[in-house]
Amino acid sequence: MKKLYLFFSCLISWSLYGQGLPGLGAGTTPNNKPILHGKNWVAITGKPLGATAGATIFQQGGNAVDAACAMIAATSTMWDVLSWGGETQALIYHPVEKKVIAINALGYAPTGATVDFFKSNRMDYPPQYGPLAATTPGTPGGIMTMLAEYGTMSLEEILSPSMELAKGYPLEAQTANAMEAQKERIKQWPYSKKIFLPHLGEEREAPVAGELFVQEDLYQTLSKLVEAERTALAAGKSRKDAIYAAYDRFYKGDIAKEIVRGTREQGGLFTEADLANWTVKIEEPLHVNYKGIDVYKLQEWTQGPALLQSLNILENFDLKSMGYNSANYIHTVYQAMSLAFADRDFYYGDPAFVDSPMEGLLSKEYAKERAKLIGEMNDPKIGPGDPYPFQDGSNPYQDILTENRKSLASLSAEELNSSLDEEFLANFFSGTTSVETADAEGWVVSVTPSGGWIPAVVAGNTGVGLSQRMQSFVLDENLNPFNLPEPGKRPRVTLTPSLAMKEGKPFLSFAVQGGDSQDQNLLQYFLNVVEFGMDVQEAAEAANFNSYQMQSSFGDHEIRPGAIVLRNDTPDWTLKDLSNRGYSIELWNKTSGPINAIWFDWKHQSFWGGSSDYGDDYGIAW
């Protein structure tokens, strides 16, 4: 009872302080939200109830991995721009082994998903929505693998908050309104319609905010996982093996059969072998050192290395002397990102199928050469470089690279100054949430789970919403010869958690949602802290800028060279300077991105948590 009282006291005081009520901390912080101070644990994610799920697990004695798994499960159940059929990517700091571990729980392309298949169906790209957009489910496997390998609790304990949510929870306005806005597309898929539109025939067919949202099919699916674990434990299996018994039931048992049946009924390509043969990969992350800080990202099946490349390029400039968000600073960082993302668009892909030149791309020498291309004006025709000489090789795609550069060089003035229309922006910032946890034992977890956002195809009677990640493949090798669809291949995704280490200890754990904007916002967040001395919350709320001078990973993979979004309080002289340098400027009220982060205060043995004021992101610390 005492623990429960302390937990809710913590939660209530945090909530009231965040509102700035008189007598309860009003005016004591320059930020819109307070810093989260804790000495035992921190739990931050995209929804308040998701953070509560993590806090509940911590209060029950779980570690940061246990809490992260519960939070991923909860946010998947809440359709926080992801569902149970989506994908999970994580970086975990292991305090005993003293190393950063990468979790690859991204689904892959099913049988029959080839370039010829999509082209024969008159598609320029794999579709944005529907069963043909789906990779195999990754999030369930990711949760269970993380829990089995690095957690301490049972699957039943971890799933308890999600199962309670599935039985019915008060739906928040953002998700309720997304269901209503997408209802015409949802009606194409019978199992989705059954869940999302409980008021068919009425003026509003989706639930309203505050209405109890019930997912009986999903509850039964989660119950089957718990049942499989209980049966294995009763048979004398270890905690770890019992969790993997549940894993097998999802990917090889009756749940898998219903996912395949329901997906194929609606026009999808999944086979039972596709699910049975898919596995979670535990990988070595990539990293670079920036001024004494080691920054870790996932491998090149994500866009994460683009942040590392950007840091290597920016190391050649004195950013601090330029001043935070001065015209020179914005221009330099924008150009560095353009160079790194041009390489992302051409070279990144699934390393299980292709051999991307990552050694060259992440070399300091290559970065120095790329940095020399940054002049006084914006270059809207920046293209990929050639990293192969920096790893003692020759480029096997030199002809394609040459054609790619010619294509960029031939862009017309109209194409270089195209507007940021609503559909383009919706695609560019599509999907994802973030999960950040840390505990006093030293475990740190940074996750960007995603996929299966509304409108999602639900796989039969499982309640599992399927991913839309196939759209991140391209079908033209001239765009990216490393990222063409093949059965069993993972698409190059935008999902990109981050961990930074300093002097052998965790320094900063940070992640953000927002499609192709993720590593742009994370790069600026990191620089806000390291170059400009901002605290973890100041950096989360600080004005960022967004570039669209890279291929969108969604929809028609469009590009808007020279376009930049700045916060609407940017000084007139900065706007004038950037306009004179050739930028096409738009102003927004908020540009920070929904960043969540944890900074480690080793002097005082405590955590500082930052939770963005951009959306519904929320954190709890103790």
Side-chain angles (χ1 to χ4, degrees):
M1 181 61 73
K2 184 177 180 181
K3 279 189 176 181
L4 196 61
Y5 170 79
L6 288 172
F7 166 62
F8 283 107
S9 295
C10 169
L11 178 58
I12 291 167
S13 64
W14 191 95
S15 176
L16 292 176
Y17 184 34
Q19 295 174 34
L21 297 180
L24 292 170
T28 62
T29 173
N31 304 315
N32 292 322
K33 292 170 74 171
I35 294 167
L36 297 163
H37 289 290
K39 70 172 184 178
N40 297 303
W41 50 261
V42 183
I44 314 174
T45 189
K47 295 290 182 185
L49 285 176
T52 303
T56 299
I57 295 300
F58 273 130
Q59 287 298 113
Q60 292 172 357
N63 70 9
V65 178
D66 297 318
C69 290
M71 292 160 75
I72 299 166
T75 52
S76 296
T77 303
M78 296 174 67
W79 298 86
D80 182 19
V81 287
L82 76 159
S83 175
W84 277 91
E87 48 271 352
T88 286
Q89 293 68 224
L91 291 171
I92 299 173
Y93 177 70
H94 194 308
V96 177
E97 297 181 2
K98 298 189 182 305
K99 63 181 293 187
V100 179
I101 297 161
I103 301 295
N104 177 349
L106 172 65
Y108 56 38
T111 299
T114 63
V115 171
D116 289 342
F117 170 81
F118 290 112
K119 285 187 172 181
S120 69
N121 283 277
R122 300 181 180 179
M123 298 179 186
D124 294 325
Y125 299 93
Q128 284 183 266
Y129 304 105
L132 292 178
T135 52
T136 54
T139 286
I143 290 172
M144 288 186 273
T145 298
M146 290 168 61
L147 180 64
E149 299 294 334
Y150 309 110
T152 66
M153 301 178 78
S154 70
L155 183 62
E156 182 172 5
E157 290 171 308
I158 293 304
L159 293 184
S160 178
S162 299
M163 294 176 73
E164 188 169 344
L165 290 168
K167 285 191 288 186
Y169 74 96
L171 193 62
E172 73 281 4
Q174 180 189 39
T175 304
N177 292 337
M179 294 174 184
E180 179 68 13
Q182 295 287 348
K183 65 183 181 181
E184 294 309 315
R185 184 172 275 119
I186 288 169
K187 288 177 182 178
Q188 300 174 38
W189 310 310
Y191 303 101
S192 302
K193 180 172 65 176
K194 179 176 69 170
I195 295 170
F196 298 135
L197 305 177
H199 309 301
L200 278 172
E202 299 178 18
E203 182 177 355
R204 183 182 175 100
E205 297 179 303
V208 297
E211 181 177 341
L212 294 185
F213 180 50
V214 178
Q215 302 172 79
E216 180 60 30
D217 286 346
L218 178 60
Y219 178 80
Q220 293 301 326
T221 295
L222 299 181
S223 297
K224 290 176 181 178
L225 297 178
V226 170
E227 180 183 60
E229 180 188 50
R230 285 178 177 173
T231 300
L233 289 171
K237 298 289 186 180
S238 66
R239 182 194 73 92
K240 181 176 179 178
D241 288 342
I243 293 169
Y244 281 126
Y247 180 111
D248 286 343
R249 185 167 185 181
F250 188 93
Y251 287 98
K252 300 176 183 178
D254 55 340
I255 299 173
K257 292 180 185 297
E258 178 58 16
I259 288 173
V260 170
R261 186 205 65 79
T263 303
R264 294 185 72 86
E265 176 193 326
Q266 297 174 93
L269 300 175
F270 288 3
T271 67
E272 291 183 28
D274 290 330
L275 269 66
N277 292 333
W278 178 86
T279 58
V280 177
K281 295 186 177 183
I282 300 175
E283 301 177 336
E284 290 288 331
L286 299 173
H287 74 281
V288 300
N289 185 280
Y290 181 84
K291 299 185 177 181
I293 300 171
D294 290 310
V295 184
Y296 289 82
K297 302 292 283 188
L298 298 170
Q299 294 180 13
E300 64 272 21
W301 52 272
T302 75
Q303 68 171 333
L307 182 144
L308 304 182
Q309 285 189 248
S310 297
L311 288 175
N312 279 346
I313 294 169
L314 292 170
E315 208 169 30
N316 295 282
F317 299 89
D318 185 357
L319 299 178
K320 188 174 183 178
S321 70
M322 295 178 186
Y324 165 70
N325 275 9
S326 68
N328 279 339
Y329 175 78
I330 292 170
H331 171 72
T332 303
V333 175
Y334 186 106
Q335 297 302 303
M337 293 193 303
S338 294
L339 291 161
F341 277 90
D343 286 337
R344 178 204 75 167
D345 291 343
F346 188 78
Y347 289 111
Y348 291 14
D350 183 354
F353 280 73
V354 294
D355 188 15
S356 296
M358 297 312 298
E359 180 184 348
L361 288 169
L362 293 182
S363 72
K364 298 289 187 179
E365 292 76 17
Y366 178 67
K368 287 179 182 178
E369 291 302 308
R370 296 292 269 169
K372 292 176 184 177
L373 299 175
I374 298 179
E376 291 300 314
M377 299 293 291
N378 175 49
D379 182 359
K381 298 182 180 181
I382 285 174
D386 187 356
Y388 283 91
F390 298 88
Q391 59 181 43
D392 299 323
S394 58
N395 197 325
Y397 298 105
Q398 188 61 56
D399 291 345
I400 297 175
L401 180 63
T402 300
E403 288 301 313
N404 185 292
R405 290 170 174 169
K406 286 180 181 179
S407 178
L408 285 168
S410 67
L411 288 172
S412 67
E414 182 180 1
E415 290 172 312
L416 293 176
N417 292 286
S418 54
S419 63
L420 299 175
D421 58 90
E422 187 174 336
E423 183 179 359
F424 169 79
L425 290 172
N427 289 336
F428 197 91
F429 288 95
S430 189
T432 317
T433 192
S434 61
V435 169
E436 296 292 321
T437 61
D439 64 38
E441 292 182 2
W443 290 95
V444 185
V445 186
S446 183
V447 197
T448 47
S450 189
W453 55 78
I454 295 167
V457 174
V458 173
N461 294 306
T462 63
V464 172
L466 297 178
S467 164
Q468 299 92 343
R469 200 56 61 175
M470 285 282 288
Q471 67 181 297
S472 291
F473 281 119
V474 297
L475 303 180
D476 182 354
E477 69 173 3
N478 290 308
L479 292 176
N480 184 344
F482 297 86
N483 190 36
L484 305 171
E486 300 177 54
K489 187 177 183 180
R490 290 165 163 86
R492 195 277 300 152
V493 296
T494 56
L495 309 163
T496 179
S498 313
L499 267 176
M501 304 285 292
K502 187 176 182 180
E503 298 175 352
K505 298 178 181 179
F507 170 72
L508 193 66
S509 178
F510 54 119
V512 66
Q513 60 176 285
D516 288 283
S517 73
Q518 287 178 55
D519 274 315
Q520 299 185 53
N521 285 322
L522 293 174
L523 172 67
Q524 292 170 71
Y525 182 87
F526 178 80
L527 294 174
N528 288 346
V529 174
V530 173
E531 294 288 356
F532 300 109
M534 296 186 195
D535 68 42
V536 68
Q537 186 64 33
E538 286 175 322
E541 296 183 16
N544 286 345
F545 51 90
N546 276 300
S547 165
Y548 304 91
Q549 192 160 304
M550 68 279 297
Q551 287 178 18
S552 171
S553 300
F554 307 92
D556 290 334
H557 294 245
E558 296 173 273
I559 185 171
R560 296 287 192 272
I564 187 171
V565 166
L566 297 161
R567 201 162 76 178
N568 58 11
D569 59 358
T570 303
D572 289 342
W573 56 86
T574 302
L575 298 176
K576 182 178 179 180
D577 190 326
L578 292 170
S579 180
N580 289 338
R581 293 176 191 243
Y583 291 96
S584 175
I585 299 170
E586 289 202 15
L587 300 177
W588 289 3
N589 181 42
K590 286 186 177 181
T591 60
S592 58
I595 294 170
N596 292 316
I598 301 169
W599 179 75
F600 299 85
D601 185 350
W602 291 104
K603 179 180 179 180
H604 302 103
Q605 297 295 308
S606 66
F607 308 110
W608 293 43
S611 180
S612 169
D613 66 336
Y614 194 93
D616 291 346
D617 299 81
Y618 201 88
I620 305 172
W622 184 248

